[in-house]
Amino acid sequence: MTTTLAPGAALRLLASSRPLSWVNTAYPFALGYLAGGGGVDAVLAVGTLFFLFPYNLLMYGVNDVFDHESDLRNPRKGGVEGIVLDPGLHRTMLWVAGLVCVPFVLALLAVGNPWSSLALVVVLAAVVGYSAPRVRLKERPVLDSLTSSVHFVGPALVGLLMADGGIGRTALVVLAAFLAWGMASHALGAVQDVLADRSAGIGSVATALGARWTVRGAIALYLVAGALLVTLPGPLRLTALLVLPYALSAWPLRSLPDAESPRAHAAWRRFLVLNLLAGAALTIGLLIAALPGSGR
């Protein structure tokens, strides 16, 4: 591997990390750490930076390397939803993704505790095992959705554990709801790739269950997430409202035939927008709740 990267190659690696999705992993860590009692300190900065870029480079970069054949057949690849990584960059990607993560991981292990360290190792194993040959968790129906959800719930769990605040009932409910939401979102995203994945011989929850039943399962999981959030105390139960737009967005596709599965792409595009809106609404709500005189 060369010691330097040409600007064009560096930009390709950067694009492979899905910059639009960086916030989806950095935000859960920061929120988990602060909610667990952590402060605005070096741990928050290092953890947030790690889950912002290096983590996503590892997660999506490894995926782009080992999903190359499927990506070539996937018409939605080539923009914000993922690129087709040149084969000549595959080896470089694996090296760069690993090396960029090392200092951050070592720092988090050094300042963490046994439980946060264990969670971090498990999350990283899930990230690599999702796409890596032989393990290929992404080709094991249902387990693929579970593992994908761990990619996003994991940072929140690591943040909570690093704050040493303990995990009570409220945190458990939120994590469980987040896990259900993540599984639903992965399954819905897999529907649009049914034809491309089958053409490349790649399995998924959607290729196994079919578009129709995968969408229905995703809707059910969104509703499960909402039902869990309704059990939270006080104003926190209002967060259940945030999952309703996701379920409503998927509802028109509940009878989608496999042959028309690419139509699910529109729902996935709405999903990307909903993430930004839901994240903004959650942030505003938490800031209001933290204001003096809010009743906390």
Side-chain angles (χ1 to χ4, degrees), residues 190-233:
V191 171
Q192 62 190 326
D193 294 333
V194 165
L195 299 183
D197 284 347
R198 283 179 177 165
S199 176
I202 292 178
S204 73
V205 63
T207 61
L209 301 180
R212 178 182 295 107
W213 286 105
T214 303
V215 171
R216 293 175 182 180
I219 293 172
L221 283 169
Y222 281 135
L223 295 179
V224 166
L228 287 168
L229 293 173
V230 165
T231 69
L232 292 175

Side-chain angles (χ1 to χ4, degrees), residues 31 153 156 160 168-180 225 228-229 231-232 236 239:
L31 185 58
V153 179
L160 278 168
R169 178 188 176 279
T170 296
L172 285 175
V173 169
V174 171
L175 289 173
F178 194 5
L179 188 69
L228 287 168
L229 293 173
T231 69
L232 292 175
L236 285 176
T239 56

